[in-house]
Amino acid sequence: MTKTALIAGITGQDGYYLSELLLSKGYRVLGLVPPERQSSVVKLGALANQVEIYAVDLTDSEALKEVVEQRHPDEIYNLAAPSFVPDSWNDPLGTLDLVTGTATRLLATVREVGLETRFYQASSSEMFGQVDRSPQDENTPFRPKNPYAAAKLHAHWTMVHHRQRYGLFACSGILYNHESPRRSPSFVTRKVSMAAASIKLGLSEVLEMGNLDAKRDWGYASDHVEAMWRMLQADVPEEYVIGTGKLHTVRELVAAAFDCVGLDWQRYVVVNPKFLRADEHFQLVADPLKAKRQLGWEPQVSFEQLVEKMVLHDLECLQTNLQNC
Ligand code: NAP
């Protein structure tokens, strides 16, 4: 029987890869996009014709309920969030409202409609915040350091409480950074891949960076959405830490990106103190052993392959002047 999945945040990076994955598995895919963000649907490219978009305000409980009652989704994925962490300092309340409010409303809807719908909450490694151990696993204490992380933690616990109190099949993936050619240019990986491509094509000359020693656990978005899906196919709903378990420095990122276009990064990269973030994480890196053991999940794409995918994509975009690069 054809399964139906409902995705909030379908127009984002993960929404794209998750839709692609679910469609390849024969799912009917529905997406919730607020009326004022309909222009984002263009980011789905050709997939937009294969999914059904509902123009629904995520703060409107009745409208959410109507969609769920009408379409009886087997699975709901809550991916909606303003995902660029520094932005959450500019609008802490808006971040909390969207992140926690959407999770709470969707969970309440599933409970009220009384369906067997399985629920996925997009949690974040940012919830670990000020870590005192590396790597982190499902038992690591949460010490969020920014409004985004605090909002994500609230949504995470709301999901846990709904599971414990009402017996919902609700899971969350505590995901580390995952990137792709669909990552917003606000993020360092895409900033670097775009710059390497642009300098190669003679469109720019210099890349200004912050701390080159900062380290991240960077995975590929397509691998990480596979983990989301696997969580909802498990026998028991649980939390899972999802990451590569490997740290790379920004310097390694820059070197790999420029290597893809045959350039020596040291000739083009300058450190600008303006981009130094005061609040760098130290050793925020996943221990994804539980996901490997229980879900059989492992990343398939290496750091070098990920960087290459991004740079080649950006080269093509810039050469062909494509919109939606
Ligand atoms: P993304 O590309 O930024 O996509 C976020 C989605 O949320 C988009 O559909 C976006 O709509 C929507 N959204 C943002 N602000 C909104 C608002 N005010 N009202 C309604 N919708 C709004 O993020 P992603 O990389 O796909 O991440 C998916 C989820 O995983 C997010 O919840 C993120 O916080 C979480 N996460 C991501 C990572 C990562 O490294 N990517 C790591 C851990 C957790 P528009 O397309 O219109 O902007």
Side-chain angles (χ1 to χ4, degrees):
M1 209 175 68
T2 304
K3 278 189 170 184
T4 301
L6 177 65
I7 306 175
I10 194 169
T11 53
Q13 169 188 261
D14 291 4
Y16 179 90
Y17 288 102
L18 182 62
S19 299
E20 194 177 56
L21 176 75
L22 295 172
L23 288 166
S24 76
K25 292 182 182 298
Y27 276 67
R28 186 180 293 119
V29 176
L30 319 176
L32 299 174
V33 181
E36 73 280 7
R37 301 181 91 91
Q38 288 295 310
S39 58
S40 298
V41 174
V42 76
K43 290 193 279 176
L44 288 169
L47 287 187
N49 299 323
Q50 298 171 61
V51 302
E52 297 172 49
I53 299 296
Y54 282 84
V56 169
D57 180 348
L58 299 177
T59 65
D60 185 343
S61 300
E62 283 310 307
L64 291 174
K65 197 170 167 187
E66 213 174 293
V67 176
V68 173
E69 269 177 341
Q70 266 178 23
R71 303 306 303 269
H72 289 192
D74 299 283
E75 297 167 12
I76 294 181
Y77 296 85
N78 178 27
L79 311 181
S83 66
F84 188 55
V85 174
D87 283 351
S88 69
W89 290 107
N90 301 330
D91 186 13
L93 195 54
T95 304
L96 185 69
D97 278 352
L98 178 70
V99 172
T100 309
T102 307
T104 309
R105 281 183 210 97
L106 285 170
L107 285 159
T109 302
V110 172
R111 177 171 64 81
E112 285 166 23
V113 177
L115 296 170
E116 295 294 301
T117 304
R118 296 184 168 206
F119 181 87
Y120 174 83
Q121 170 60 25
S123 291
S124 165
S125 58
E126 285 285 323
M127 300 184 325
F128 291 130
Q130 190 69 50
V131 289
D132 62 0
R133 66 191 78 172
S134 290
Q136 299 81 42
D137 65 16
E138 294 76 9
N139 299 313
T140 304
F142 297 121
R143 295 195 184 90
K145 291 197 298 182
N146 54 62
Y148 167 86
K152 281 284 180 187
L153 188 53
H154 193 297
H156 180 85
W157 282 121
T158 301
M159 179 282 302
V160 172
H161 297 154
H162 274 71
R163 184 172 71 212
Q164 290 173 344
R165 188 175 172 94
Y166 302 113
L168 299 189
F169 192 109
C171 298
S172 92
I174 305 172
L175 269 58
Y176 284 67
N177 296 72
H178 46 283
E179 320 294 315
S180 76
R182 296 189 169 268
R183 192 59 141 155
S184 146
S186 314
F187 291 84
V188 68
T189 46
R190 191 74 196 286
K191 172 179 166 175
V192 169
S193 65
M194 290 283 275
S198 164
I199 291 172
K200 175 68 181 177
L201 296 174
L203 302 173
S204 51
E205 292 172 354
V206 171
L207 168 60
E208 291 189 353
M209 295 293 295
N211 184 4
L212 295 177
D213 295 319
K215 292 178 183 165
R216 294 286 182 274
D217 179 336
W218 279 301
Y220 181 39
S222 183
D223 282 342
H224 284 45
V225 301
E226 167 80 26
M228 298 175 188
W229 175 77
R230 288 190 185 209
M231 281 176 222
L232 294 199
Q233 316 313 309
D235 292 335
V236 181
E238 292 185 27
E239 286 75 65
Y240 293 90
V241 158
I242 302 294
T244 68
K246 293 182 183 142
L247 282 172
H248 290 278
T249 60
V250 173
R251 182 177 285 100
E252 288 168 332
L253 168 68
V254 169
F258 279 75
D259 199 40
C260 289
V261 291
L263 296 177
D264 174 6
W265 69 274
Q266 298 189 71
R267 291 184 55 200
Y268 304 96
V269 176
V270 293
V271 173
N272 184 338
K274 186 176 90 179
F275 294 117
L276 289 173
R277 271 166 74 171
D279 215 5
E280 289 292 359
H281 289 300
F282 182 65
Q283 302 277 315
L284 199 51
V285 57
D287 173 359
L289 195 60
K290 180 179 171 186
K292 183 177 177 185
R293 282 201 181 129
Q294 294 186 203
L295 303 175
W297 179 84
E298 277 187 287
Q300 302 298 311
V301 170
S302 70
F303 171 74
E304 291 75 18
Q305 289 169 326
L306 166 65
V307 176
E308 187 179 27
K309 278 177 190 291
M310 296 179 70
V311 173
L312 294 184
H313 169 89
D314 289 336
L315 264 180
E316 193 186 333
C317 272
L318 293 173
Q319 274 168 329
T320 49
N321 234 337
L322 289 180
Q323 291 191 336
N324 305 317
C325 269

